[in-house]
Amino acid sequence: ELHAWRDTELVRAYGLDGVFYDISSANPYRCARCLRAEHGHPPGRGRTIVEAYDRVNRASKEAVAESTGRYLVQGVETIIENVGGSIDFYVSRACAGPLGTLEAWTLGPELPPGEGRELIPLYQAVYHDVGPVHEDGWLTLAADAGDLFFWVAARIYLQWGGLLSLYFATGPPERPPGFDGAAEVNSWDGARVRFDELPSADPEKVAFVRELARARTTFGRPFLAYGRLLRPLPLRVGTVELSYRRDVQGFNTYAEGVWPAPEVVHAAWQDVDGNLGLVFANLRESGGVTIHLSGDAGALWGMDLRRADATAVTSAGTTGLGRVPEDNVLAFSVALAPRRVTLVRVAR
C-alpha cells in the first residue's frame, strides 16, 4: 500500500512520467528475503517473495491509472526475467567498459575488444522485442572523460538496442547555458553534496547522442526500438585509440588510459515484418570508412532475402545499394561518415 500510495502521489502531485526503484524487485539476492512467518509465506528467500514483488509493481500501476488516468512507467536497477512483465525499463550499468562504475567495483569483467573477455547482449537477444527497455552507461557529457564515450554510447544504442543513461549522483552535472549557480544532489548514501565547479558539456558528445537518438526514433526505429536482435555480420574493421578518464566520487575508482576500440560499431536486427537491418556507427572523429559487407543470409539468420532491395539510410537521406542476388549472399560496399549512424535496410 505504501508503494502504491507513494507512486500515485509522485505522479499526481509532481507530474512525473515514471519512477525508478534502486536495487529492488529485480535484485533478488539483496531484497527478496522476508523472515516474518505471519505473512503467510515460507520465511526466507525464493519464488514467493519474487512473485510478491511483481504484484507490488503491478499494484502501483493500477493505483496510478485509477487515480490519474495515466500509465506509470516503472524502472529498476538490474533486471531478472520474473518481473519483466511489470517493469518498463532497467538500468544495467554494466556496458560502459572502463568508464563504468560497476566494472570498476568488480575489477573489470571486460577486456578490450579481441582480448578474450567481452560482454555479449544475451538478455537483449532473448527479450528486447518483448521486454523492458535497456538503459545503461552512467556517463557524463564532460570533455575530460575522454573519447571512449563514443564507443560506449554507440554500443548501448546499436548493439543493445538501449538508451544512454547520464548519471550525476557521484559527480557534477554539465553547466547548462546561462546558469551560473552550483548544483546539489542527495547522494546514494543519503549525504547532501554540493558542486560549485561545473564542467561544460562537450558539443561533440552532445551531437553524437543526438545522432544516436535520431536513429533510434526515426529511420532505425523498427529495428532498434521494436526489433529482434540477430547475430552480427562477420565484419573486419580497424581499431581506433580512444582515451578515457573515470573518477567516480565515493567509489575510489579513479582510472585513466587508452582503449583500443573498433573503428566501427555494428549490430544486426530484424523488424516485425521480417526485414533485415544492419546498423553501423563510424567512431572516428574525422574521415570516412568504407566497409565491405559479405554474409550468407540463410546461414547467418535463416532468412531468404533473394531479390530483396538493399538501401543505406542515414539522417541525411537514402541511397540504393541494389538487390540481393539469387545465391542469398549479401555483398555491398557502404561508406560511413564519421560519428554518424548508417542503417543498411534489406527489405523482403
Side-chain angles (χ1 to χ4, degrees), residues 80-317:
I80 57 174
E81 296 157 311
N82 311 72
V83 297
S86 62
I87 290 299
D88 301 285
F89 72 96
Y90 63 99
V91 177
S92 172
R93 67 180 179 94
C95 303
L99 280 175
T101 303
L102 178 63
E103 289 88 339
W105 257 349
T106 54
L107 303 181
E110 186 173 19
L111 293 175
E115 294 190 13
R117 194 169 70 227
E118 300 178 34
L119 296 178
I120 58 173
L122 177 59
Y123 189 92
Q124 291 80 358
V126 177
Y127 291 107
H128 177 275
D129 53 336
V130 295
V133 175
H134 176 214
E135 188 174 325
D136 212 321
W138 273 26
L139 302 182
T140 75
L141 297 169
D144 64 0
D147 288 341
L148 192 62
F149 173 98
F150 297 97
W151 176 67
V152 174
R155 284 206 309 172
I156 290 170
Y157 271 91
L158 305 185
Q159 291 184 335
W160 276 270
L163 297 171
L164 181 65
S165 173
L166 301 178
Y167 189 75
F168 304 111
T170 55
E174 296 82 27
R175 185 177 298 281
F179 179 76
D180 297 324
E184 293 185 343
V185 64
N186 290 323
S187 180
W188 63 276
D189 58 359
R192 184 79 168 177
V193 182
R194 176 185 173 95
F195 300 106
D196 292 305
E197 298 296 326
L198 306 183
S200 298
D202 183 342
E204 291 295 322
K205 293 177 181 176
V206 174
F208 191 61
V209 173
R210 182 182 294 115
E211 171 73 9
L212 292 167
R214 182 186 295 114
R216 191 182 194 276
T217 56
T218 57
F219 60 87
R221 182 178 179 183
F223 303 98
L224 299 176
Y226 298 110
R228 175 169 294 176
L229 186 59
L230 302 176
R231 177 186 303 173
L233 274 175
L235 186 66
R236 290 185 176 274
V237 297
T239 59
V240 56
E241 301 288 323
L242 300 176
S243 64
Y244 69 90
R245 177 181 178 273
R246 182 189 67 236
D247 186 13
V248 183
Q249 299 183 22
F251 289 82
N252 192 27
T253 60
Y254 182 83
E256 61 180 325
V258 174
W259 193 263
E263 64 180 352
V264 174
V265 170
H266 159 60
W269 296 86
Q270 184 181 39
D271 69 11
V272 296
D273 296 320
N275 301 310
L276 175 68
L278 305 172
V279 288
F280 307 91
N282 171 9
L283 299 185
R284 291 195 173 276
E285 182 178 4
S286 60
V289 174
T290 298
I291 56 173
H292 305 285
L293 311 184
S294 179
D296 188 319
L300 280 170
W301 309 297
M303 299 174 68
D304 182 2
L305 297 177
R306 291 173 296 176
R307 298 182 298 279
D309 291 316
T311 54
V313 188
T314 69
S315 56

